[in-house]
Amino acid sequence: MRVLIITCAGMSTRFSKSVGYNCLKCIYSDKDIKQSILYKSIMNNVSYFDKIIIVGGFKFDDLNKFINKYFEDLKEKIILVDNKMYAKYGSGYSFWLGLKQAFDYETSEIVFMEGDLYINEKEFKKMCEINNNIVTTNYDEITASKAVAFYIDLSGKIHYIYDTKHNALQIDEPFFSIRNSGQIWKFIDIGCLRYICNNLLEEEKKGTNLVIIQKYFEKLTEKQYIIFNFKEWINCNTINDYKLTVRQSSK
């Protein structure tokens, strides 16, 4: 069984500020709801995955109404999970909740994506069809204000770096290369992923989703994962980013 996990529990602070009112950015649209980030993420992937797990939190009622209104015919496929700790815990708790749900099925592979991403549909499907563990990258500039970055050390191990305050990134060891994360990952060793989740400390659950991701990929050698580059990729942090996704998807 193929499972897609999408997390969109965060409070959308930067996006709401750019719009002028509090809103859940993944379901935001200025005209056509089909131009919302989440609508595209679901419709572009519904044929490939057996289950789509969506973890919400902030404005959860709005998310629930959105799913019930526009995806009523997919009730058996879409699983909605409520992260009631979204305001206190980090993004890792949403990912952990989504994984707990995924482990209830006979899952053979899990793709995890953050809920504020626009990805070219053809590129995403190409990535999904690769039978391997995958970390993704994009070609945007690496800046502390926006990027989730990772570097590869001299032994070939992956290390993620991210500043929740968006101020600065720091690396304290020699490294082979540094990349801007595409914030999408594929996991094929479900037993390993389950073990990591079952043995997380309570404090680790409260951190970012990179805690679980780091623990998984640091166990792998260079031959056990591949790096997939997205050429068309937008992280939707502000209304201007959203408008760019509309223009890109209209091409």
Side-chain angles (χ1 to χ4, degrees):
M1 178 176 286
R2 298 164 174 164
V3 176
L4 173 65
I5 299 175
I6 304 174
T7 54
C8 47
M11 297 176 69
S12 308
T13 305
R14 284 181 289 175
F15 190 88
S16 293
K17 184 177 180 180
S18 71
V19 175
Y21 62 90
N22 288 334
C23 65
L24 183 60
K25 65 179 173 180
C26 69
I27 62 173
Y28 173 87
S29 65
D30 52 6
K31 294 180 181 178
D32 185 357
I33 196 66
K34 293 181 180 180
Q35 293 293 345
S36 67
I37 296 294
L38 185 57
Y39 189 95
K40 292 174 188 173
S41 295
I42 293 174
M43 293 307 297
N44 289 347
N45 302 304
V46 69
S47 61
Y48 181 84
F49 293 98
D50 301 294
K51 295 288 183 182
I52 298 176
I53 299 171
I54 302 171
V55 184
F58 176 65
K59 289 190 172 292
F60 185 80
D61 288 344
D62 291 351
L63 177 62
N64 191 31
K65 291 175 184 177
F66 175 87
I67 297 298
N68 288 334
K69 181 175 182 179
Y70 296 105
F71 299 99
E72 185 178 5
D73 57 333
L74 296 175
K75 286 184 176 179
E76 295 301 315
K77 179 167 286 193
I78 298 177
I79 311 298
L80 198 54
V81 178
D82 186 5
N83 175 4
K84 297 183 183 300
M85 303 303 292
Y86 71 90
K88 293 184 178 181
Y89 294 177
S91 59
Y93 194 67
S94 289
F95 186 29
W96 182 75
L97 288 174
L99 287 170
K100 278 186 61 181
Q101 185 70 50
F103 295 150
D104 286 343
Y105 312 116
E106 294 182 4
T107 306
S108 57
E109 63 180 58
I110 293 173
V111 172
F112 166 53
M113 67 183 298
E114 299 191 356
D116 57 357
L117 302 177
Y118 166 79
I119 309 293
N120 177 278
E121 180 181 357
K122 291 181 180 179
E123 286 188 271
F124 188 84
K125 287 183 177 178
K126 183 178 179 180
M127 183 216 72
C128 288
E129 290 169 356
I130 297 172
N131 184 29
N132 206 337
N133 296 295
I134 298 175
V135 298
T136 63
T137 68
N138 67 82
Y139 292 103
D140 281 8
E141 179 184 7
I142 298 174
T143 63
S145 61
K146 292 186 66 174
V148 173
F150 68 88
Y151 68 92
I152 301 174
D153 68 20
L154 300 185
S155 67
K157 297 291 185 181
I158 289 177
H159 303 270
Y160 281 91
I161 49 175
Y162 176 65
D163 181 11
T164 56
K165 296 181 180 180
H166 311 292
N167 289 328
L169 302 175
Q170 182 172 331
I171 300 174
D172 295 323
E173 65 175 324
F175 60 91
F176 176 72
S177 67
I178 184 168
R179 311 286 184 93
N180 200 340
S181 174
Q183 299 175 42
I184 296 174
W185 298 266
K186 184 173 185 178
F187 308 86
I188 61 172
D189 190 339
I190 306 305
C192 176
L193 199 54
R194 188 194 298 268
Y195 176 84
I196 290 169
C197 289
N198 288 343
N199 289 277
L200 278 182
L201 301 175
E202 287 303 312
E203 284 302 311
E204 290 177 319
K205 294 176 187 176
K206 299 177 184 180
T208 73
N209 53 42
L210 297 176
V211 174
I212 296 173
I213 293 164
Q214 178 70 58
K215 285 178 177 289
Y216 182 88
F217 281 98
E218 70 184 9
K219 294 179 180 295
L220 306 182
T221 67
E222 288 181 277
K223 295 181 179 180
Q224 292 177 307
Y225 68 86
I226 68 166
I227 296 175
F228 187 93
N229 295 302
F230 288 121
K231 296 179 181 178
E232 192 173 313
W233 179 97
I234 300 170
N235 188 357
C236 193
N237 289 313
T238 67
I239 185 63
N240 289 334
D241 296 328
Y242 168 78
K243 290 177 180 179
L244 182 56
T245 70
V246 174
R247 291 196 296 270
Q248 287 293 105
S249 61
S250 299
K251 288 182 178 179

